[in-house]
């Protein structure tokens, strides 16, 4: 089980939101590259970046911060990015600059043909982000709820050739209320590509719960507010997950 620190970017700073509300942001660092180095130093094996402004604007808005992070750690561990990526040229530019994976969310739902083209043009480097509330997928920085069922879209996008799925329970994100294990397992069982859990991770008990269902196809978990507030010690969490793996 891979614990993946999230670096959410808003106006050039590293922040955390509650339930995706841009008006409810807590700034944890004004130097995202230094924050990236901090997590790598603690043993992070992958980083998850989100351009929050980009998610709402429909195009990248924090490119300077993203480039700084890639210069700092991109040659050492894989870095994945989501938020506002809507065209192949943007994907190519980020990959050329050292990004390992691009996560397509809103554009995948609104324009499936774009996701299909991206998977064909950049095989093995395109992930899809499915953000949901009560099983229904949301778009546009979580501001719009669609009628699409998570599992239905996941199966469709798996057929396109996505590398993995990042599944976020919007209602739990940033709330330290625990991962939605049931919904994450339901999704993982429906597809054969890896699933990354997101939204609500709060403590070591959550990691134990996820490790207990890792065999269902859940490869990792995005770590957000809990590792910034200290509710979860990141290194202790990864060590605990590794101990589970060694014991199986």
């Amino acid at each position: 089980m891979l614990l993946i620190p999230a670096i959410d970017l808003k106006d050039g700073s590293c922040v955390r939101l509650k339930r995706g509300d841009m008006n409810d942001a807590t700034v944890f660092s004004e130097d995202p590259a230094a924050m990236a180095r901090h997590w790598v130093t603690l043993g992070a094996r992958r980083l998850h970046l989100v351009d929050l402004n980009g998610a709402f604007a429909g195009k990248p808005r924090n490119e300077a911060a993203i480039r700084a992070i890639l210069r700092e750690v991109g040659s050492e561990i894989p870095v994945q990015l989501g938020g506002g990526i809507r065209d192949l040229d943007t994907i190519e530019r980020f990959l050329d600059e050292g990004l390992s994976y691009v996560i397509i969310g809103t554009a995948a739902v609104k324009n499936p043909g774009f996701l299909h083209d991206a998977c064909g043009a950049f095989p093995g480097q395109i992930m899809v982000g499915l953000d949901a509330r009560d099983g229904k997928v949301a778009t546009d920085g979580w501001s719009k709820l669609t009628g699409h069922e998570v599992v239905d879209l996941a199966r469709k996008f798996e057929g396109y050739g996505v590398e993995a799925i990042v599944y976020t329970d919007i209602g739990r994100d940033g709330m330290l209320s625990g991962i939605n294990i049931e919904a994450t397992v339901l999704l993982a069982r429906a597809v054969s590509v890896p699933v990354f859990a997101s939204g609500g991770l709060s403590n070591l008990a959550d990691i134990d719960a996820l490790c207990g269902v890792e065999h269902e196809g859940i490869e990792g978990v995005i770590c957000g507010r809990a590792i910034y507030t200290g509710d979860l010690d990141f290194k202790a969490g990864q060590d605990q997950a590794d101990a589970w793996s060694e014991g199986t």
Side-chain angles (χ1 to χ4, degrees), residues 12 29 49 52 71 89 121 123 131 203 229:
S29 174
L49 312 185
L52 293 172
R71 286 195 299 271
D89 288 343
D131 310 322
N203 52 42
T229 60

Side-chain angles (χ1 to χ4, degrees), residues 225-241:
R225 182 174 291 272
I227 60 173
Y228 286 93
T229 60
D231 288 86
L232 173 64
D233 181 297
F234 175 78
K235 187 176 185 306
Q238 186 62 71
D239 287 347
Q240 184 160 310

Side-chain angles (χ1 to χ4, degrees), residues 9-248:
L9 301 167
K10 179 177 184 285
D11 304 330
S13 296
C14 173
V15 308
R16 295 303 301 170
L17 306 182
K18 290 185 177 180
R19 295 193 179 102
D21 184 352
M22 288 286 274
N23 296 315
D24 195 356
T26 304
V27 176
F28 283 99
S29 174
E30 294 183 353
D31 188 346
M35 184 58 70
R37 172 55 59 192
H38 169 72
W39 296 126
V40 172
T41 299
L42 288 180
R45 299 168 198 161
R46 186 185 290 208
L47 290 179
H48 177 82
L49 312 185
V50 181
D51 184 340
L52 293 172
N53 301 101
F56 284 90
K59 57 184 176 180
R61 292 296 197 195
N62 286 279
E63 290 196 58
I66 294 164
R67 289 193 189 98
I69 291 169
L70 291 174
R71 286 195 299 271
E72 181 68 33
V73 303
S75 62
E76 299 173 43
I77 63 170
V79 180
Q80 59 196 45
L81 168 70
I85 298 170
R86 305 284 196 273
D87 60 77
L88 297 179
D89 288 343
T90 299
I91 295 175
E92 185 173 28
R93 185 171 74 252
F94 278 129
L95 293 178
D96 286 346
E97 290 176 355
L99 197 70
S100 299
Y101 304 99
V102 167
I103 304 166
I104 301 175
T106 292
V109 180
K110 290 187 166 182
N111 183 9
F114 165 59
L115 177 64
H116 188 275
D117 290 345
C119 289
F122 310 103
Q125 294 184 289
I126 304 299
M127 302 168 67
V128 68
L130 294 177
D131 310 322
R133 180 180 285 115
D134 300 324
K136 302 291 186 182
V137 174
T139 62
D140 299 277
W142 302 354
S143 63
K144 298 178 182 177
L145 200 62
T146 74
H148 297 291
E149 295 284 346
V150 171
V151 169
D152 292 342
L153 282 184
R155 285 174 172 155
K156 177 180 178 179
F157 296 155
E158 178 183 23
Y160 290 179
V162 297
E163 177 68 14
I165 296 169
V166 178
Y167 172 64
T168 304
D169 185 315
I170 298 170
R172 298 181 183 227
D173 191 72
M175 302 306 294
L176 301 177
S177 55
I179 292 285
N180 189 335
I181 298 289
E182 183 180 359
T184 306
V185 168
L186 185 67
L187 174 60
R189 285 175 176 170
V191 296
S192 59
V193 296
V195 170
F196 292 91
S198 177
L201 183 75
S202 59
N203 52 42
L204 292 174
D206 288 335
I207 292 172
D208 279 339
L210 281 166
C211 287
V213 295
E214 183 177 7
H215 64 280
E216 301 283 6
I218 302 169
E219 196 165 289
V221 58
I222 311 298
C223 307
R225 182 174 291 272
I227 60 173
Y228 286 93
T229 60
D231 288 86
L232 173 64
D233 181 297
F234 175 78
K235 187 176 185 306
Q238 186 62 71
D239 287 347
Q240 184 160 310
D242 291 343
W244 267 84
S245 298
E246 291 167 5
T248 57

